[in-house]
Amino acid sequence: MKKMGLMGLVMMIFLAGCGSSRSAPAVAPMVTSPEKQQSASSTGGADLLPGVWMRPIRDGVSGTEGLSLQPNGELALVNIYSLKGMNWRRSGDTLVLTTRTEKYPEPYESRLKIESLTDTSLSLSAREDYLAGTYTREGGPLRQGARGKVKGTVIYLQRIALPPDAVLQVRLVDVSPQGGTPVPVATQTVSRTSQVPIAFEVGYDTAAIRPDHRYEIEARIIAAGKTLFVNASPCPVLTGGNPETVEVVVSPPAR
């Protein structure tokens, strides 16, 4: 009886231990900070950033200047000759632009807060950074239609070498409007221009092309803020039976 009583006591203790349940630790709910809850419409998506963004030149100088954010991450600066673009990337709500200068060849990062980003406008802020400001997409709103390409090469006949900081700027323009002012449709900047021929490939939205309009390619080679070569003769493309692949001959500008 004593043995049975002892065994019964042991079994009662064992069963009591098995029957007791440990409550699982409470899992705190995930809370998203107000900053992360910010609507994507204010700063857009990464797919809106590639393109050519232009603004009036600062300090009262006539003309326009801007950023060419290429889909492969390369950065080119349009009509900003004191800096040379290298690459770009987006980090959250910050646009990081890497540049250098001839005097200071070490890469320098400009960290610009994206205040707003839409199909047509880009607003960047930073303290005492020349690249901060409000830009407009060249060629109008970004459309999600089919993409076309105008490609070709740029050559010149003079037997001279290009300086190491030379860049090629190619524009697809609509020359139909009255008044003689071409309307930009798309742009490409090529920074690797050690020798000719220089290949280019300008992507454009096919929805922006009207069959009854006339389009041309403009090309110029620039170094140290000066135009070294430009095409003096029109180079028609796309409509009116004109090709999508062309050879553009450039020459020193008339003085």
Side-chain angles (χ1 to χ4, degrees):
M1 292 292 294
K2 289 183 179 180
K3 289 184 178 180
M4 289 295 293
L6 181 60
M7 289 181 64
L9 180 61
V10 171
M11 289 296 294
M12 288 176 64
I13 294 174
F14 176 79
L15 291 173
C18 292
S20 63
S21 61
R22 295 182 180 179
S23 59
V27 178
M30 295 182 65
V31 178
T32 304
S33 65
E35 291 80 3
K36 292 186 178 180
Q37 291 175 348
Q38 177 176 288
S39 172
S41 63
S42 62
T43 58
D47 56 338
L48 289 180
L49 278 171
V52 180
W53 299 94
M54 302 298 292
R55 69 179 182 190
I57 297 178
R58 293 173 55 176
D59 304 324
V61 179
S62 62
T64 57
E65 63 184 9
L67 315 169
S68 176
L69 307 180
Q70 301 185 27
N72 62 0
E74 290 187 1
L75 166 67
L77 304 179
V78 182
N79 298 334
I80 301 177
Y81 305 114
S82 57
L83 300 172
K84 186 173 181 63
M86 298 181 68
N87 53 67
W88 71 274
R89 59 185 172 86
R90 180 170 183 171
S91 177
D93 288 340
T94 300
L95 178 61
V96 183
L97 304 178
T98 304
T99 60
R100 64 179 178 84
T101 66
E102 291 300 317
K103 187 176 181 180
Y104 302 104
E106 290 297 318
Y108 174 79
E109 283 192 350
S110 292
R111 304 185 68 85
L112 307 166
K113 182 181 178 182
I114 303 174
E115 297 290 353
S116 65
L117 171 61
T118 69
D119 273 0
T120 57
S121 66
L122 170 63
S123 181
L124 304 171
S125 66
R127 187 175 181 180
E128 298 181 354
D129 195 303
Y130 183 82
L131 299 178
T134 300
Y135 298 81
T136 301
R137 185 186 298 278
E138 187 173 76
L142 179 67
R143 304 174 180 87
Q144 300 301 322
R147 302 292 293 174
K149 294 179 182 178
V150 176
K151 57 185 179 180
T153 54
V154 172
I155 65 169
Y156 57 80
L157 305 180
Q158 290 75 11
R159 292 182 172 272
I160 56 176
L162 292 174
D165 62 336
V167 296
L168 168 65
Q169 292 182 358
V170 182
R171 298 201 312 168
L172 172 63
V173 295
D174 184 347
V175 295
S176 301
Q178 298 294 326
T181 302
V183 177
V185 177
T187 303
Q188 184 194 22
T189 300
V190 182
S191 56
R192 296 180 177 88
T193 56
S194 57
Q195 60 182 3
V196 292
I198 305 169
F200 68 86
E201 187 174 281
V202 182
Y204 65 90
D205 181 4
T206 56
I209 303 300
R210 296 179 52 176
D212 58 335
H213 279 212
R214 294 179 295 109
Y215 299 90
E216 294 180 0
I217 285 292
E218 294 180 352
R220 64 181 61 234
I221 299 175
I222 299 171
K226 298 181 180 180
T227 298
L228 304 182
F229 296 91
V230 64
N231 63 311
S233 301
C235 185
V237 293
L238 297 180
T239 58
N242 291 302
E244 295 183 347
T245 301
V246 291
E247 181 181 75
V248 185
V249 180
V250 295
S251 58
R255 298 187 181 278

